Amino acid sequence: MTDAIVAQKEPYAADVRAGETYFWCACGRSANQPFCDGSHKTTDILPVKFSAEHDRRVFFCGCKQSGAAPVCDGSHKRL
């Protein structure tokens, strides 16, 4: 299994729109963080689907270690 790369040691703030679907980069290789750009295809890690129910700001995990993926749970504080 390929390990995820820590993209950054803090969350990514992103404004999402109700009814839109987003794919969070779980591998850490995307050049379009925190979202998937297909770079995971060289790994066995898949992106995580996120469906926005409301217009709001979401803090997506940047360290790729969150137990609540795709959102930040503070795991970056232990790195």
Side-chain angles (χ1 to χ4, degrees), residues 18-65:
E20 296 289 322
T21 299
Y22 303 86
F23 288 89
W24 171 75
C25 169
C27 71
R29 290 164 175 77
S30 175
N32 188 35
Q33 291 294 333
F35 304 112
C36 177
D37 70 358
S39 296
H40 67 276
K41 292 178 182 176
T42 62
T43 75
D44 56 355
I45 301 171
L46 298 175
V48 176
K49 183 178 178 179
F50 177 84
S51 298
E53 295 179 10
H54 308 285
D55 290 352
R56 66 184 180 113
R57 177 160 285 189
V58 175
F59 292 90
F60 289 101
C61 175
C63 72
K64 313 305 177 185
Q65 309 299 311

Side-chain angles (χ1 to χ4, degrees), residues 59-77:
F59 292 90
F60 289 101
C61 175
C63 72
K64 313 305 177 185
Q65 309 299 311
S66 177
V71 296
C72 176
D73 69 355
S75 292
H76 61 276
K77 294 175 184 175

